[in-house]
Amino acid sequence: MKNKNSIQIFFACLLIVSAVMACSPFSTAPFSPPVAITAVIVPADAVGEEADAGSSGLGDSYYPGFGNGGYDVTHYTLDITVNDMATSDLTARTTIEANATQDLLSFNLDFIGFKIEEITVNGEPADFSRKGQELTITPLKPLVMGQSFTVVIEYNGSPEEVKSVALPVQMGWVTVEGGSFVLSEPDGSASFYPVNDHPLDKATYTFRVTVPEPLEVAANGVLTKTTDNGITNTFVFEARDPMASYLATINIDEFDTETMESEGGIPIRNYYSAELPEEIRKPFARQGEMLDYFSEVFGQYPFEVYGSMVMNTKFDTALENQTLSIYGIDQIDFGNVEDTELTVVHELAHQWFGDSVSVADWSDIWLNEGFATYSQGLWIEHLHGRQTLDDWVKSNYTFLAGGSYPPTGNPPATDLFNYESVYVRGGLTLHALRLEIGDEAFFETLKTYFALYKNGNATTDDFIAVAEKVSGKELNKFFDAWLYNETIPPIHAMGLGVE
Ligand code: TRP
Ligand code: ZN
């Protein structure tokens, strides 16, 4: 829903109109405006030949080719029919509603594989060409800045196997025996739909997925309709809150479905692969409590619904897809429910930090993973008290001691989710901040940061600005040390790291 261009417009608007209030959804924010303070404002007279082709990337500092410029997607509709489950042979149509943020002779989408049958823009056939992951579309009539337009892409085939530059695992649409699932962070989405694939361009989604009986579909948002077509069924899901593209998920299997509600009234639906035993439900039983607890600590849960999906497949990880976190079966320790609950807490807390407040640049991934990791500590403290949290902090700190890892704020672009740097030291950074500014300012910082940036994007500097404003302290040195020093700083108050 927002990209650099809309931010440029926002700033141009800021410059022109001194009455900021009239101009922006952020205008009530007591702090500096979100995201792209540093965005370069392109003067209006700089429009040349080049300005009429949308850029092939959104300028991410780690992955400049991710996403595309020149337009802002508002809604995706994915119509997908699975013809053959064994190969995920699909007949598909993606409909994209977008606004041009500049004049456009052509624009790009990210898309991998498939045979494209036809592309239309505003109902008229459009030319297109493909190069690697870039799909370049040239509409019959050029688009003008501010114009809303609709792109329809018809395609078919089986998704290709995609590996990310950011971590060497298969991602995107993954076909397994008896089903398929989607886990895309950070760049797997283009493996099943044409997309502006960067978290800066959030949009709402409709999923209309047709599968052979007896298979079922679990996707983001709310199941609004199921149609029995005879030997197939169609499932329609609406994800009505803005969502980063990497969080879109469509999972196909036979499921045991469980529904409940948190005491605070948040609806929950869980999907468990039907082959799994009944005990699979245990580590997910407290999700309602968790949602209500974090709603109190961070601010009201930002989406319509929550839940989890467990595949009967090992994939060595879990992912915080918006409103529907997904877990590989190897993430579940049947013998240790409380330990598995900590993974459940991690993905659930990501709904606030990662999903609702998303990174504006992938280099800031600690804003997702450090926060979700520290949320595990907060849950431990909630259940067992401060001493148990302190023990958890100490064991995490000791785990890093002596090792040499990249600093939290500078993980390697080829190992973005470096566990020690981003998760462990990222989580410790928040605990150190809590000790530095005190509990009251710390929790007020989390709440204010969430309130300001929910449904949008934030940078590390945005977070630091909130912490400084709330605490009244100058924190640049503190964050420099914790985020960018090669060696992990000591935590004097806990006697950690002191020789
Ligand atoms: N964000 C996930 C977590 O920590 C980890 C993750 C990143 C991941 N990329 C992924 C998981 C791709 C599965 C697939 O919760
Ligand atoms: Zn995580």
Side-chain angles (χ1 to χ4, degrees), residues 10 14 25 102 124 129-130 192 229 312-313 353 390 481:
F10 164 57
L14 246 186
Q102 63 173 70
E124 299 180 307
S129 63
R130 306 184 71 173
F192 69 105
N229 315 305
N312 188 18
T313 303
F353 299 115
D390 284 352

Side-chain angles (χ1 to χ4, degrees), residues 38 43 308 488:
T38 52
S308 291
I488 184 170

Side-chain angles (χ1 to χ4, degrees), residues 320 346-347 350 368-369 372 423:
E320 65 271 21
H346 180 104
E347 307 312 332
H350 266 311
N368 293 10
E369 301 306 342
Y423 289 70

Side-chain angles (χ1 to χ4, degrees), residues 167 171 183 185 317-320 346-347 350 369 417 423:
L167 77 165
M171 58 176 66
L183 66 186
E185 188 184 19
T317 187
L319 185 65
E320 65 271 21
H346 180 104
E347 307 312 332
H350 266 311
E369 301 306 342
F417 298 90
Y423 289 70

